[in-house]
Amino acid sequence: KQQLGKLIAEVIGRQKSIPLMDPFDDMHIEDARLSQTVKRRAMVREQLNKDPIENSYSVHEKEELVKQYEEIAAIDNEIKAVERQVKLGKGLILTHELRQMKRVLQRLGFVNMDNIVDIKGRVAAELNTGDELVLTELMLNGYLNSMSSAVIVALLSCFVFDERLDDKTDPLINEQLSSAFRALQSVATHVARELLECKLISDLDEYLNKFNPGLMHVIYYWCLGKSFQEIAAMTTMFEGSIIRVMRRLEELLRQLSAASKGIGNSELHNAFEQASLTLKRGVAFQASLYL
């Protein structure tokens, strides 16, 4: 045993490493799959030897790089797992919100208990320029029937005007505008309570403050025939902003007109068409201000 140990130690001392046995010449393995595997291994080894990175780092450095890569890969897998959980959570939240929204639509009469879209739902589907729930309630509950064209357009400005002005002038200059805005607040409060009860909003006052009457008097006088210069002098708002509100109003009136026509309500359709005619005139609707 001692003699054999000395011989092995002598062989190891002469060579840096013990040569590997050849699987074909020394071990006489004849499996064709092994032959293919060995050839592929030799090709990979040849490609690695040609790679500049392979020759740029020591064995220890490469081991460190592999370790760092494995750590990064593990972190990446953790991130993907968390992202899947977040996506699943968002899906659950969205499902809950959809149920709550469906509940609101049922309680307001936009869909029936079988989730079939009713007349209110068909009207709301045509509207996207303002709050479709409140607009539909105003339309179909008769609030707009007794209003003049100028008052209708002025009231609708509350849906598209979202700036806060420091004007000291009260925009509700007469009883017609005051009454119209009270009707809007009444309908909006009813809708907001349903949304609040179903936990789709958290603050009733914040929802109601979306409907801004700050430009009602300006739009009202414009529809009565005042010049653009005259109405611009009634507010501190920039002229371009006034025109932008008017353009959005025209789009909203077009949608309301199409919605009322879609449900066969010719009276409302004619009212919105007439309101659009009182609004769409003058410099505000020129293709170019230089013409």
Side-chain angles (χ1 to χ4, degrees), residues 165-183:
L165 303 176
D166 295 329
D167 293 355
K168 296 180 180 179
T169 305
D170 185 359
L172 305 177
I173 56 173
N174 57 36
E175 180 55 31
Q176 286 180 301
L177 296 184
S178 297
S179 176
F181 188 65
R182 285 197 298 270

Side-chain angles (χ1 to χ4, degrees), residues 176-192:
Q176 286 180 301
L177 296 184
S178 297
S179 176
F181 188 65
R182 285 197 298 270
L184 169 58
Q185 285 185 311
S186 174
V187 172
T189 300
H190 172 62
V191 171

Side-chain angles (χ1 to χ4, degrees), residues 86-101:
V86 170
K87 187 176 181 180
L88 179 62
K90 284 183 177 179
L92 293 173
I93 292 171
L94 182 60
T95 301
H96 177 70
E97 287 184 353
L98 288 174
R99 287 186 187 139
Q100 298 297 79
M101 290 172 66

Side-chain angles (χ1 to χ4, degrees), residues 17-228:
S17 62
I18 299 176
L20 297 175
M21 295 182 67
D22 188 278
F24 306 108
D25 296 336
D26 299 326
M27 302 176 69
H28 305 291
I29 298 175
E30 298 179 356
D31 193 331
R33 292 175 299 176
L34 176 62
S35 177
Q36 294 175 357
T37 302
V38 170
K39 288 180 181 179
R40 285 199 299 268
R41 180 179 179 278
M43 289 174 60
V44 171
R45 172 52 58 188
E46 184 180 356
Q47 291 175 352
L48 280 175
N49 290 335
K50 292 178 180 179
D51 194 316
I53 296 178
E54 175 72 11
N55 302 317
S56 300
Y57 298 95
S58 65
V59 174
H60 176 70
E61 288 173 333
K62 284 187 281 189
E63 289 177 352
E64 284 296 319
L65 289 173
V66 170
K67 184 179 179 182
Q68 291 175 14
Y69 172 79
E70 290 174 345
E71 291 175 353
I72 292 172
I75 293 172
D76 189 50
N77 290 333
E78 290 179 9
I79 291 173
K80 290 179 180 178
V82 172
E83 286 176 344
R84 285 194 293 269
Q85 292 177 356
V86 170
K87 187 176 181 180
L88 179 62
K90 284 183 177 179
L92 293 173
I93 292 171
L94 182 60
T95 301
H96 177 70
E97 287 184 353
L98 288 174
R99 287 186 187 139
Q100 298 297 79
M101 290 172 66
K102 185 171 69 174
R103 184 181 172 197
V104 169
L105 294 176
Q106 288 175 344
R107 295 177 68 163
L108 291 175
F110 286 72
V111 298
N112 61 24
M113 297 308 294
D114 296 322
N115 295 325
I116 297 174
V117 178
D118 212 334
I119 292 178
K120 283 185 177 182
R122 287 165 53 195
V123 171
E126 297 288 336
L127 310 175
N128 57 32
T129 306
D131 189 303
E132 58 273 9
L133 298 181
V134 177
L135 282 167
T136 303
E137 291 289 334
L138 281 172
M139 273 183 62
L140 300 186
N141 289 334
Y143 289 97
L144 305 178
N145 293 349
S146 59
M147 296 181 189
S148 67
S149 296
V151 174
I152 289 175
V153 181
L155 180 63
L156 293 178
S157 71
C158 300
F159 290 86
V160 298
F161 178 53
D162 52 12
E163 295 184 27
R164 294 293 166 184
L165 303 176
D166 295 329
D167 293 355
K168 296 180 180 179
T169 305
D170 185 359
L172 305 177
I173 56 173
N174 57 36
E175 180 55 31
Q176 286 180 301
L177 296 184
S178 297
S179 176
F181 188 65
R182 285 197 298 270
L184 169 58
Q185 285 185 311
S186 174
V187 172
T189 300
H190 172 62
V191 171
R193 283 174 179 161
E194 296 292 346
L195 294 171
L196 189 64
E197 189 170 334
C198 293
K199 296 181 173 56
L200 288 175
I201 61 172
S202 58
D203 191 325
L204 188 143
D205 290 333
E206 182 181 352
Y207 180 83
L208 295 179
N209 287 335
K210 291 195 312 179
F211 306 100
N212 185 355
L215 215 60
M216 284 184 72
H217 63 304
V218 173
I219 300 299
Y220 176 74
Y221 279 123
W222 171 259
C223 292
L224 291 180
K226 294 280 188 182
S227 69
F228 189 80

